[in-house]
Amino acid sequence: QLVWYPDNSRVSLGDYLVLRDTWKAKGFIQSLEIPTQGKLFLEIVARTPADRPIVCAAVLLGASHQTRVALGGFGSVPILALDGPGPVGADLAARSAYARAGDVWASAEYRSQTAAVLVRSILEKELGGK
């Protein structure tokens, strides 16, 4: 859920992402509520801190190593690259998910390789290379 300031109105992230071009917010995002019993990690690559990401990877590590990987920076909405029972192959799933993600800002090869590196980096930091 996205919580908007100043009126605390709420909209689901999925609804917002699909309709964000037509969304007329009365303020700015105050908070993001993620109902999970896992840990969420995000890595971003952009030209500058103020730019939109060229590639970003979000990894959710849930109970019993349940692993979800979502990628952004290409297309109109993030994509779910992996929703599996463990982290094995998460970097390959990210690479595959962005195999055709080329545009004027970055080639598909660059995005594909970068997505894999970001996911692998998160997993190595959080799971010790498992």
Side-chain angles (χ1 to χ4, degrees):
Q1 294 277 323
L2 298 174
V3 181
W4 293 93
Y5 178 86
D7 64 358
N8 288 327
S9 62
R10 296 166 187 268
V11 63
S12 75
L13 181 59
D15 288 345
Y16 173 76
L17 290 174
V18 172
L19 301 172
R20 71 178 173 240
D21 289 339
T22 60
W23 183 257
K24 303 291 188 223
K26 299 175 188 170
F28 60 90
I29 298 171
Q30 172 178 302
S31 63
L32 175 64
E33 296 175 351
I34 302 172
T36 181
Q37 294 191 304
K39 292 182 178 181
L40 180 65
F41 306 94
L42 178 67
E43 292 282 344
I44 297 171
V45 171
R47 293 181 309 160
T48 71
D51 281 344
R52 295 178 85 177
I54 294 171
V55 180
C56 61
V59 177
L60 175 68
L61 298 174
S64 302
H65 293 290
Q66 175 74 19
T67 304
R68 282 187 173 177
V69 175
L71 303 175
F74 176 79
S76 59
V77 296
I79 63 165
L80 184 63
L82 176 74
D83 186 4
V88 175
D91 58 334
L92 297 176
R95 180 186 304 272
S96 178
Y98 264 12
R100 297 177 191 249
D103 62 16
V104 298
W105 300 106
S107 69
E109 181 180 357
Y110 175 80
R111 278 202 177 97
S112 178
Q113 290 178 5
T114 302
V117 167
L118 294 179
V119 170
R120 192 169 35 253
S121 172
I122 291 169
L123 294 175
E124 286 175 356
K125 281 188 245 179
E126 298 310 317
L127 300 176
K130 295 181 183 177

